Amino acid sequence: MTGDLGGLRSRMFTSGIEVLGFWNSIISGNVAGGLNPGNAISVQDAWVGLKFDLEKLVGWRGGQFVVSGINRHGDDLTTKYIGSIYSTQ
């Protein structure tokens, strides 16, 4: 999505740091039952993270460390249309 950023991404990957990210959309529906059947909903997830190859960075063979975060946008199908304590999404 952002390209190589003038070679920065390639240098980071070679040294053991990888930038990760994705965006997706989840469409779910309540066909029957629940609080309000016959409705659908869409939520979006934006996820970003960094993966550290500890073998390249500090010599720890097979070591890996990941830091990530996710942001969900949209209403939850379970809360809005189903009314269950267990999430359907």
Side-chain angles (χ1 to χ4, degrees):
M1 182 169 85
T2 59
D4 196 28
L5 300 171
L8 176 63
R9 181 170 285 163
S10 295
R11 288 191 307 274
M12 288 174 61
F13 184 78
T14 301
S15 69
I17 302 170
E18 186 175 355
V19 179
L20 309 165
F22 75 83
W23 177 88
N24 71 344
S25 183
I26 303 167
I27 300 171
S28 302
N30 179 19
V31 178
L35 299 173
N36 195 351
N39 287 291
I41 202 162
S42 172
V43 296
Q44 294 77 40
D45 294 330
W47 179 80
V48 294
L50 293 170
K51 181 167 74 171
F52 300 93
D53 182 335
L54 298 179
E55 186 170 353
K56 289 180 181 178
L57 290 167
V58 295
W60 182 7
R61 187 172 172 191
Q64 175 175 267
F65 183 75
V66 178
V67 177
S68 65
I70 190 167
N71 181 41
R72 176 166 276 183
H73 178 305
D75 292 323
D76 182 48
L77 177 73
T78 307
T79 304
K80 194 165 185 179
Y81 295 124
I82 297 177
S84 174
I85 62 171
Y86 302 106
S87 178
T88 58
Q89 292 176 297

